[in-house]
Amino acid sequence: MSLGHACVDVYQGAVAALVPFFVAERACTYAAASGVVLAASLLSSVVQPLFGALTDRWAMPWLLPLSALTGGAGVALSGVTGSYALTLAVVAVSGIGVAAYHPEAARTARVASRGSHTAMGWFALGGNVGFALAPLLVAAVIATGGLGASPLLFVPAVVGAALCAAAVRATAGGGTTAERGSEALGSDDWPSFLRLSGAIMCRSIVFVGLSAFVSLYVRERAGGGEVAGTVALCVLYAGGAVGTVAGGRLAERYGRLTVVRQAYALSVPAVAGVVLVPGPAVYLFVALTSAGLYVPFSLHVTLGQDYLPRRVGTASGVTLGLAVSVGGLAAPAIGALADATSLRTALVPLIALPVVGRLLLCGLREPITPQPVHAGVGSAV
């Protein structure tokens, strides 16, 4: 499941990694290029909670391989479409595929982890590895063959679908609806869940905004052309590999909310350094920003699931999907502001968002972790 997660999340990272190539080869404005990020996020944001609600009612393990193929197909076609509108359409299809994957995958991974925050960190690590590999994969394919070579980007989808299909075959159905209901213990705490989701949205806007524009920004600030920009994006994504696993381990020692709050606090000076500090030091601040954004990543998911123990699929869809992809909705506004002023000016508001997220987390209490009592879903991983 972790390896499959990596293959699927390549397509979330690939969209942002394609932005500089759309700007270079198709002469897109910042706003038009960020519209591609919006297309990948918009439908995903809308349908992900729907898929979460569906998985609360029925076992749908077949979604895992199908969604991997759908996510890959959209990105693979994005470079060979004949118009901007078609590019937006196929990238939106990719976003739907990614949206369909995450609620079911997060649920089965949580049950298989038996409540271990470290184990969920390893599952989340798979997705972050996919993010980190995306810029390298896109650069290797597109820099060599241009946007016309984008169909080669379908390969990870085939691998991911095969991994997911193997997991599905090993489960004998992945659990019945009644079995899934047995893990829904306790009452739902919607006020706490909504505050947590608000904080995640703040984190999402920062992450997606930097994902879309840090490559272009570092080229301006540090020089070095495409290589400098690709390195910065890789640092942003790769730092998540360490941060996600560290977040799980730290949570088991200090508690989830303590770790999440400290991570948001770290993000404030880190993002400020990315935007305001000139020269090669920007890479250090990109790394610190990555840590601040990724340490709470898997903890968001388990906290959300524990705040809504009767709606684990919905919680997974929101914390891992809607609240994350909503950052893409802000990307066009950042791009439009950059076109009207400068890229640096457009990124300055990102400094304040971790502050807002940290304030939303004030007063939240650690939820009680429900204990799964069935094995059907757990065997899905």
Side-chain angles (χ1 to χ4, degrees):
M1 287 297 295
S2 183
L3 291 172
H5 196 189
C7 292
V8 172
D9 275 9
V10 159
Y11 299 107
Q12 295 204 79
V15 174
L18 283 166
V19 166
F21 296 98
F22 287 130
V23 171
E25 293 194 28
R26 297 182 177 176
C28 293
T29 63
Y30 287 138
S34 60
V36 178
V37 180
L38 172 63
S41 302
L42 184 58
L43 282 178
S44 179
S45 298
V46 173
V47 304
Q48 191 133 213
L50 173 62
F51 281 112
L54 290 174
T55 61
D56 280 334
R57 295 179 62 86
W58 299 287
M60 296 190 292
W62 50 267
L63 267 181
L64 300 180
L66 178 61
S67 59
L69 293 173
T70 304
V75 168
L77 292 172
S78 65
V80 296
T81 51
S83 69
Y84 181 69
L86 282 175
T87 300
L88 296 181
V90 297
V91 169
V93 169
S94 176
I96 293 174
V98 171
Y101 170 82
H102 282 101
E104 182 72 13
R107 174 198 284 279
T108 55
R110 177 66 190 279
V111 175
S113 74
R114 296 187 175 95
S116 168
H117 304 315
T118 299
M120 278 300 289
W122 282 106
F123 170 71
L125 172 63
N128 295 334
V129 168
F131 260 106
L133 292 178
L136 298 176
L137 178 64
V138 169
V141 172
I142 306 302
T144 302
L147 287 172
S150 65
L152 293 174
L153 297 175
F154 190 61
V155 173
V158 176
V159 176
L163 290 166
C164 292
V168 169
R169 284 195 301 270
T171 66
T176 66
T177 305
E179 287 173 327
R180 287 172 166 241
S182 67
E183 65 183 311
L185 306 176
S187 59
D188 294 334
D189 183 356
W190 281 101
S192 295
F193 179 77
L194 292 175
R195 287 170 61 186
L196 174 69
S197 298
I200 300 172
M201 289 179 188
C202 293
R203 181 258 183 206
S204 171
I205 295 172
V206 175
F207 179 74
V208 175
L210 290 179
S211 296
F213 296 111
V214 74
S215 179
L216 295 168
Y217 186 63
V218 169
R219 290 187 199 182
E220 295 178 2
R221 303 276 290 176
E226 290 184 1
V227 172
T230 299
V231 169
L233 195 57
C234 286
V235 170
L236 180 65
Y237 291 163
V242 177
T244 303
V245 175
R249 293 186 179 278
L250 290 170
E252 292 187 342
R253 181 170 183 179
Y254 300 107
R256 287 177 291 183
L257 282 173
T258 298
V259 173
V260 170
R261 288 171 180 143
Q262 293 301 318
Y264 275 76
L266 169 65
S267 297
V268 178
V271 175
V274 172
V275 177
L276 303 175
V277 175
V282 69
Y283 293 106
L284 171 61
F285 287 103
V286 170
L288 291 174
T289 297
S290 180
L293 296 178
Y294 271 113
V295 161
F297 187 78
S298 66
L299 306 181
H300 288 150
V301 180
T302 60
L303 281 168
Q305 291 172 334
D306 289 348
Y307 282 133
L308 299 184
R310 297 184 180 275
R311 294 175 175 82
V312 173
T314 299
S316 301
V318 172
T319 56
L320 200 55
L322 172 63
V324 175
S325 59
V326 76
L329 306 181
I334 298 172
L337 181 58
D339 286 331
T341 56
S342 69
L343 192 50
R344 180 181 183 182
T345 300
L347 295 178
V348 166
L350 300 183
I351 300 172
L353 288 172
V355 178
V356 177
R358 177 63 181 82
L359 291 174
L360 286 170
L361 295 169
C362 290
L364 289 183
R365 295 183 178 181
E366 186 77 23
I368 298 174
T369 302
Q371 298 299 317
V373 295
H374 63 83
V377 179
S379 63
V381 248

